[in-house]
Amino acid sequence: MDSKTLVVNALTKVVPEEITSEQLTNLIEKPKSSDLGDFAFPTFILAKSLHKAPNMIAEELVAQIDQSGFEKVVNTGVYVNFFLDKASFADNILHTILSKQADYGDQDEGKGGNVPIDMSSPNIAKPMSMGHLRSTVIGNSIAKIITKLGYKPIKINHLGDWGTQFGKLIVGYKTWGSKEDVEKDPINNLLKYYVRFHSEAETKPELDDEARAWFKRMEDGDEEALSLWKWFRELSLSEFQKVYDRLGVTFDSYNGEAFYNDKMDDVIKTIQDKGLLEESRGAEIVDLSDLDLSPALIRKTDGATLYITRDLAAAIYRKNTYNFVQSLYVVGSEQAEHFKKLKAVLKMMGYDWSDDIHHIEFGLITANGKKLSTRKGNVILLQNVLNDAVDLAKKQIEEKNPNLKDKDEVAEAVGVGAVVFHDLKNERRDNFDFNLEEVVRFEGETGPYVQYTNARALSILRKAGKNDFADAKDLALADSEAWDTIKMLQEFPEIVSRAGAKYEPSVIAKYSLKLAKSFNQYYAHSKILTEDSGLNARLALVKSVSIVLQMSLALLGVKAPEEM
RNA sequence: GUCACAGUGGCUCAGUUGGAUAGAGCAACGGUCUUCUAAACCGUAGGUCGUGAGUUCGAAUCUCACCUGUGACACCA
């Protein structure tokens, strides 16, 4: 029986019959502070029917409650406060974690259902910026979280590998570029051409015509145009791969925009067959005014397709290929309306599974309060940020732990971990202004704080010379200094399912910070390695904390170095 | 203008389904390394939870209005 049921049962026997145990379950709450016990029951709802003051009721209930099985039950004002039996609770939860290890918290709500996740999706020939980081790490973390909940994620890198920008790029390359330069430093030089194109096109509009012509040649299958395109794409992908390797992110599919080029005609035909296609101002649209949405533009005046046409094709392709139970898109919140339209059109086409599509939106990153713009050349390059963070981590190691082995490897884990954790720590909808000092901070509520806590826990276990406590008999740790930590360990499965339900990695990040803080407090005030009867139980707690901290970090895609 | 999202100490943010004195972290000030890694721990100071009304025994949390900020609003993605 779980501890809350224990409380409900004790209360059921003493409250008036009309209060069901289901109601009690909803009313019972967790007090903010441990001094007020582990569960509390507010007596307000009984005040009317019993015609008594709530604090009187609390007092009377406490007198009637069977206290066996609890450490104690007391009343504080209008509340009845339940204190659990620490020893048996600790014994129970520590055994569970130590025997399940990395499987602790696993659930089966997903039943193996496929969940494609559209994530990362950088544009070819442009560097990855902090904006792409968000989509990448949020998607990656959600994939790990839902895996623990029994789903099967399919990570799709929907590359921006088609569109008029390639016409611009070809013009830029042919006008100002050279093969040698591009091979030397692909992304930066391609970006240079792109930025220059935009600044020069302001005074020379004929450049835009040239770019359009080159893109037209791509669409018509022109060999020169396509081979340049392919070359740019390959160079870009191998550059992106370097970043993904550092982040530890892998993909199941790289089907980007170009992949759907030959799949859009069918979609348009279906839309037409269902009588949804209308002509308006020379373009072909689906009218969505009934839903208070602006029309979905399926085809431009010149006959070219648009963003939503491609996304319709992609959505249908994914349904046919993966038969998904949910389909996720980790894309910035500025595209919220686009996804509303996408779902609306699919629904009108008769696809009820459009309800299973979820836009996992995230907030904008700005620099000095301004929106980042690739075209204007003001971007924050992800590689630079990671490098800065790792350099700083290296410096810290030289200062604090100069004898550490594998310094570079640890610095990489800590520096990259700090950046990733920073991105996942807050609710994903929050906008934030980029600030390097803040992102590479290692103290306080940061990734390195959690990593450090884990490293110290592992250090204790090394000193103890023991690492396996699954068979240990008496883990009944009744130490009140450790109580908050023990209760937090027990919450982990619930935390995972809440993070999954909200598609919110920050739930895990915040939990890991709380657990680390709580353990650090215990660790700072209690000597663990003392030879007495409680040693085994204390070590089991340390081991359990490290298991859960490592798992939390893993769910965020952050590494957990053993020493730092 | 319409729609969406947001507004909590100097800064960055927490705050399950409304509940007990609103919590952290940075920054400031003060303390703790002969003893399990001081990337840590402890303490002090700092808040009319944007404003005003309403619902409720009870509101940072729900409703309405207003103010402020950000984003989106047909041929970019």
Side-chain angles (χ1 to χ4, degrees), chain A residues 204 442 473:
Chain A
K204 293 184 212 158
F442 300 148
K473 286 217 173 69

Side-chain angles (χ1 to χ4, degrees), chain A residues 112-297:
Chain A
N114 281 340
V115 180
I117 306 178
D118 186 305
M119 53 182 269
S120 196
S121 312
N123 294 319
I124 296 302
K126 290 186 196 169
M128 279 223 242
S129 74
M130 286 300 288
H132 295 113
L133 176 74
R134 297 215 81 185
S135 175
T136 309
V137 300
I138 291 170
N140 185 51
S141 177
I142 289 175
K144 288 177 191 287
I145 292 165
I146 67 174
T147 300
K148 215 161 169 54
L149 295 174
Y151 294 92
K152 191 174 177 306
I154 295 146
K155 289 178 278 181
I156 301 173
N157 197 342
H158 189 77
L159 296 167
D161 58 2
W162 200 256
T164 45
Q165 74 269 26
F166 288 94
K168 296 173 185 175
L169 206 59
I170 292 174
V171 172
Y173 168 71
K174 289 187 91 77
T175 317
W176 309 296
S178 73
K179 195 170 176 189
E180 299 80 64
D181 286 348
V182 172
E183 271 168 358
K184 216 186 304 157
D185 187 359
I187 302 260
N188 282 328
N189 280 311
L190 291 175
L191 177 67
K192 221 160 70 189
Y193 308 149
Y194 187 72
V195 171
R196 182 158 174 191
F197 178 95
H198 272 278
S199 65
E200 300 219 0
E202 279 180 25
T203 52
K204 293 184 212 158
E206 65 272 18
L207 283 172
D208 278 319
D209 295 333
E210 270 184 64
R212 263 191 291 274
W214 271 105
F215 181 60
K216 182 84 170 58
R217 283 172 70 173
M218 275 169 64
E219 293 212 291
D220 294 344
D222 175 86
E223 209 173 294
E224 187 188 357
L226 279 182
S227 74
L228 278 170
W229 169 74
K230 224 175 261 174
W231 186 48
F232 294 155
R233 188 180 191 272
E234 270 159 33
L235 287 171
S236 301
L237 261 179
S238 66
E239 288 291 303
F240 293 157
Q241 196 53 48
K242 292 178 190 164
V243 176
Y244 293 137
D245 286 346
R246 296 186 81 174
L247 296 174
V249 176
T250 57
F251 294 94
D252 302 297
S253 162
Y254 289 87
N255 288 342
E257 292 170 4
F259 179 78
Y260 298 100
N261 281 345
D262 61 358
K263 296 174 180 61
M264 285 183 282
D265 284 346
D266 279 353
V267 175
I268 297 172
K269 191 169 178 303
T270 311
I271 297 172
Q272 197 160 27
D273 289 349
K274 308 236 172 190
L276 300 171
L277 208 61
E278 295 174 25
E279 206 189 296
S280 169
R281 302 183 211 170
E284 291 177 66
I285 63 153
V286 174
D287 180 72
L288 300 171
S289 53
D290 285 352
L291 299 161
D292 280 328
L293 291 169
S294 59
L297 265 104

Side-chain angles (χ1 to χ4, degrees), chain A residues 385-490:
Chain A
V385 174
L386 294 179
N387 289 341
D388 289 346
V390 171
D391 287 348
L392 221 76
K394 185 77 187 293
K395 219 178 276 172
Q396 289 256 12
I397 291 168
E398 295 295 357
E399 217 172 275
K400 296 173 193 275
N401 200 353
N403 299 320
L404 182 69
K405 46 186 191 300
D406 309 322
K407 281 183 205 170
D408 288 320
E409 202 182 313
V410 175
E412 177 77 15
V414 172
V416 174
V419 175
V420 172
F421 194 95
H422 176 267
D423 212 342
L424 295 175
K425 177 176 68 165
N426 293 133
E427 220 171 297
R428 59 182 157 73
R429 275 188 189 83
D430 288 355
N431 297 332
F432 73 84
D433 198 59
F434 180 82
N435 176 329
L436 187 68
E437 282 142 53
E438 192 126 320
V439 172
V440 301
R441 175 161 280 153
F442 300 148
E443 287 153 22
E445 297 175 324
T446 65
Y449 175 84
V450 181
Q451 290 174 320
Y452 179 68
T453 309
N454 176 58
R456 288 181 77 172
L458 293 180
S459 168
I460 294 175
L461 296 172
R462 270 195 307 275
K463 283 239 159 83
K466 250 182 113 170
N467 201 29
D468 185 13
F469 307 91
D471 297 328
K473 286 217 173 69
D474 187 16
L475 303 183
L477 188 64
D479 185 351
S480 59
E481 295 280 340
W483 183 232
D484 280 341
T485 306
I486 290 167
K487 273 202 293 181
M488 244 175 258
L489 288 172
Q490 192 259 347

